[in-house]
Amino acid sequence: MAVTSLLPKIFLFASTTLLIISTPAHTDKCFNSIISFGDSIADTGNALHISSKSNPPPFFSLYPYGETFFNHPTGRCSDGRLIIDFIAEDLGHPFVEPFHSGGRNASLESVNFAVVGATALEDSFFIERNIMLPLANVSLLAQFSWFKQFLSKKGNNSSDYKRYLQTSLVLVGEIGGNDYNHAFFQGKNVAEVQSFVPKIVKTIGQTINELINLGAVTLMVPGNFPIGCSAAYLTYFVSKNEEGYDSTTGCIKWLNRFAQYHNELLQRELNRIRQLHPETTIIYADYYNAAMSLYRCPEKYGFVGGALKACCGGGGLYNVNFSVQCGYPQSAHCVEPSSYMNWDGVHFTDVASKWIAKFLLRGSYTTPRLGAICDRHSIHARIYDH
Ligand SMILES: *[C@@H]1O[C@H](CO)[C@@H](O)[C@H](O)[C@H]1NC(C)=O
Ligand SMILES: *[C@@H]1O[C@H](CO)[C@@H](O)[C@H](O)[C@H]1NC(C)=O
Ligand SMILES: *[C@@H]1O[C@H](CO)[C@@H](O)[C@H](O)[C@H]1NC(C)=O
Ligand SMILES: *[C@@H]1O[C@H](CO)[C@@H](O)[C@H](O)[C@H]1NC(C)=O
Ligand SMILES: *[C@@H]1O[C@H](CO)[C@@H](O)[C@H](O)[C@H]1NC(C)=O
């Protein structure tokens, strides 16, 4: 890489960073930057950029993606914003820009490495098991290597990195969901997919450890969602056996138990890392229960179109057809996305993401509480409090 040509910029950047860090009283931000790893739940445009020349264009690059908030597709798998967008906004930051965003990534303060379709594990793991990765096959390790490239522009040595990372909030995930999605949707049975969980959790743990070794001190690690409530899973695993469904939510029970199993192992791993690194704050973000509180009382949150049916998709009971994705010409599209939780079968709508982010920022779905950490920095409440 042409490191020498970047030196003037690095130098300029380093002096700016120092200035910001040495004058914390002049900023009401809880963190100076947000760094994000993950998949489509958090991708703010990496996959769109990476796949810009692909033919046919990926579904998330097509209208109506983005229609509710940005008025055009941004590469986000939503009609609008993602959970990470609401978190960034609430913490007083601009939206976290994708690392692959067209040339100005050296000057980014916050940076997003999440990619639609990304997996925790390497693609060799899936090849051995005959599982295809239909979208970009980018692993957590690949994202971490982009991160190291990015970091090399923040300074020459470990104390420079530490200074940058010390004041960052690092979001590790959600990641791992696709490792399971790809396997389940390609016919693997639950016993086999369940056997992946310890390896996926260990991989997430290794990345967290490496981030801590580089200097990260505040990390937030989300668990998996209740996948048994996802329109895509409800379609693929549709069954006449009523006992398989939760009678209050209509979600598939065994799939939700699967997600909880992943989350239990993940939390155990986080506890282990917390003990090794008591100086760090590792926040578990309980995406599962934050989403469940919406699925349990959808009307309370305005989801009168239903909690389980997708707003945009190829028709059928849950408006999901695996050969007609949202964005494709034959897909059907709801009139009022804000009355739906599910956008395209797999992802949340703008408004559902907003609620989940609110629960994380203001409620009890983060351990330790993200809100409390930021209150100590006297952060002023933003989007939700006025
Ligand atoms: C971002 O920076 C990396 C490292 O220099 C580079 O390889 C990549 O092409 C850049 N991406 C974009 C889209 O600017
Ligand atoms: C990942 O991408 C590479 C390069 O396009 C391809 O050769 C490989 O088969 C892909 N892996 C999987 C598991 O789909
Ligand atoms: C990195 O090292 C070079 C050469 O020693 C120096 O000119 C530059 O200012 C350093 N960069 C940073 C960010 O400290
Ligand atoms: C790291 O780089 C900074 C800025 O270039 C410099 O002030 C510091 O002395 C360096 N530290 C080490 C351990 O080399
Ligand atoms: C999915 O869409 C295709 C193409 O329109 C159609 O042929 C097929 O019957 C649909 N499948 C279901 C289950 O509705």
Side-chain angles (χ1 to χ4, degrees):
M1 301 248 53
V3 172
T4 34
S5 67
L6 292 162
L7 284 179
K9 270 191 222 155
I10 289 175
F11 185 75
L12 267 179
F13 190 76
S15 15
T16 321
T17 311
L18 278 176
L19 192 72
I20 292 169
I21 293 169
S22 59
T23 56
H26 295 285
T27 167
D28 62 354
K29 283 183 189 158
C30 181
F31 304 100
N32 282 338
S33 57
I34 299 172
I35 300 165
S36 156
F37 301 89
D39 56 26
S40 56
I41 300 303
D43 185 355
T44 52
N46 282 309
L48 183 68
H49 188 86
I50 294 169
S51 65
S52 62
K53 291 179 191 71
S54 75
N55 194 15
F59 62 92
F60 50 82
S61 71
L62 304 170
Y63 200 80
Y65 281 87
E67 64 166 3
T68 298
F69 185 78
F70 300 98
N71 299 317
H72 63 91
T74 62
R76 287 170 176 80
C77 287
S78 168
D79 60 319
R81 290 156 291 183
L82 306 175
I83 296 169
I84 184 176
D85 294 318
F86 291 108
I87 291 177
E89 190 181 352
D90 194 63
L91 296 177
H93 289 258
F95 294 145
V96 183
E97 292 212 30
F99 176 65
H100 294 280
S101 60
R104 42 181 236 91
N105 63 25
S107 64
L108 293 177
E109 189 64 13
S110 294
V111 61
N112 194 348
F113 301 96
V115 184
V116 178
T119 51
L121 302 179
E122 292 299 286
D123 83 318
S124 55
F125 177 88
F126 300 97
I127 290 170
E128 279 166 27
R129 287 160 184 79
N130 236 331
I131 299 167
M132 276 183 0
L133 304 178
L135 296 160
N137 68 38
V138 175
S139 65
L140 188 53
L141 190 66
Q143 292 180 30
F144 191 70
S145 74
W146 293 341
F147 171 66
K148 283 191 286 195
Q149 277 178 43
F150 174 80
L151 212 52
S152 70
K153 296 179 184 163
K154 293 272 170 220
N156 291 325
N157 61 42
S158 61
S159 61
D160 290 340
Y161 304 158
K162 281 204 164 71
R163 214 164 36 224
Y164 169 68
L165 280 168
Q166 256 165 15
T167 55
S168 300
L169 172 65
V170 187
L171 307 177
V172 188
E174 178 277 327
I175 188 78
N178 284 322
D179 302 57
Y180 308 128
N181 297 344
H182 294 318
F184 278 129
F185 293 144
Q186 291 174 44
K188 300 294 175 189
N189 67 44
V190 61
E192 178 171 4
V193 186
Q194 188 139 337
S195 75
F196 302 173
V197 178
K199 194 173 164 73
I200 288 166
V201 165
K202 190 165 156 247
T203 301
I204 297 171
Q206 279 164 348
T207 301
I208 294 169
N209 268 316
E210 293 195 45
L211 286 162
I212 292 172
N213 290 338
L214 287 170
V217 295
T218 313
L219 302 98
M220 184 157 94
V221 188
N224 202 350
F225 291 108
I227 57 175
C229 307
S230 140
Y233 275 98
L234 285 160
T235 301
Y236 190 85
F237 290 104
V238 69
S239 145
K240 294 213 157 49
N241 172 20
E242 277 182 29
E243 282 178 11
Y245 293 89
D246 180 326
S247 57
T248 53
T249 59
C251 303
I252 298 174
K253 290 192 279 191
W254 70 267
L255 280 163
N256 279 356
R257 280 197 300 272
F258 180 90
Q260 285 175 296
Y261 175 66
H262 167 90
N263 292 345
E264 273 163 34
L265 263 56
L266 180 63
Q267 288 174 83
R268 257 186 254 163
E269 176 69 2
L270 298 185
N271 279 335
R272 200 181 64 81
I273 301 171
R274 285 172 182 135
Q275 277 166 13
L276 291 174
H277 301 282
E279 74 287 1
T280 62
T281 303
I282 302 176
I283 302 165
Y284 174 67
D286 189 354
Y287 279 14
Y288 183 97
N289 283 302
M292 274 319 280
S293 55
L294 297 178
Y295 288 119
R296 284 198 194 96
C297 319
E299 290 82 11
K300 178 174 169 191
Y301 299 98
F303 299 119
V304 291
L308 303 180
K309 190 173 174 172
C311 165
C312 180
L317 193 53
Y318 300 100
N319 197 20
V320 172
N321 178 332
F322 286 87
S323 50
V324 183
Q325 256 164 325
C326 174
Y328 289 166
Q330 309 95 313
S331 66
H333 175 228
C334 74
V335 177
E336 193 40 79
S338 68
S339 65
Y340 285 76
M341 263 188 85
N342 191 303
W343 166 241
D344 61 359
V346 177
H347 306 102
F348 292 115
T349 54
D350 178 271
V351 65
S353 297
K354 181 170 183 167
W355 280 114
I356 293 171
K358 175 172 183 161
F359 295 155
L360 300 172
L361 289 154
R362 298 282 179 278
S364 53
Y365 295 104
T366 51
T367 315
R369 299 271 285 267
L370 177 62
I373 290 164
C374 285
D375 286 343
R376 272 195 261 122
H377 294 70
S378 74
I379 179 83
H380 303 299
R382 284 163 212 278
I383 49 175
Y384 300 114
D385 294 354
H386 55 245

